[in-house]
Amino acid sequence: MGKGRNKNLVELRDQALLRRYYYWTEIKRLRFDDVYQILSEREFFISIDRIRAIICANIDKLEGMNKSSFKAEKAQFISI
């Protein structure tokens, strides 16, 4: 077993982070700086810089999301 972070878990975290980012920015229509703070301090507990890097690295996956896939989904982590 290799050292370091489990790549599968990191990928799952990144996917969840992208879905939550989309939810807060497109469904709830919050400001970007507020979304970064929520994701950093309340949901994923990683730095805002790291969140921005993950989003930039996966921007193509964000473009494939749409609002209809979020109708049944509710804010599972936190509600404002």
Side-chain angles (χ1 to χ4, degrees):
M1 184 169 185
K3 291 186 177 181
R5 300 191 184 271
N6 184 318
K7 292 182 183 195
N8 293 330
L9 294 178
V10 170
E11 181 64 30
L12 289 173
R13 180 210 56 201
D14 292 352
Q15 289 174 7
L17 188 142
L18 290 171
R19 289 184 60 79
R20 297 304 293 167
Y21 176 80
Y22 184 89
Y23 173 81
W24 289 118
T25 58
E26 299 299 322
I27 308 298
K28 291 297 186 176
R29 306 297 291 172
L30 293 180
R31 294 183 342 191
F32 292 109
D33 59 330
D34 292 336
V35 172
Y36 292 136
Q37 187 171 9
I38 289 169
L39 293 174
S40 176
E41 296 176 3
R42 298 183 188 176
E43 293 189 358
F44 290 93
F45 309 104
I46 56 178
S47 72
I48 290 174
D49 291 335
R50 184 68 193 134
I51 289 171
R52 287 182 181 147
I54 291 167
I55 292 168
C56 286
N58 295 288
I59 197 74
D60 57 324
K61 293 177 185 174
L62 270 177
E63 293 170 354
M65 292 183 185
N66 58 38
K67 290 183 181 181
S68 64
S69 66
F70 285 85
K71 284 186 179 180
E73 182 175 320
K74 296 185 179 185
Q76 296 175 0
F77 295 103
I78 178 177
S79 60
I80 292 184

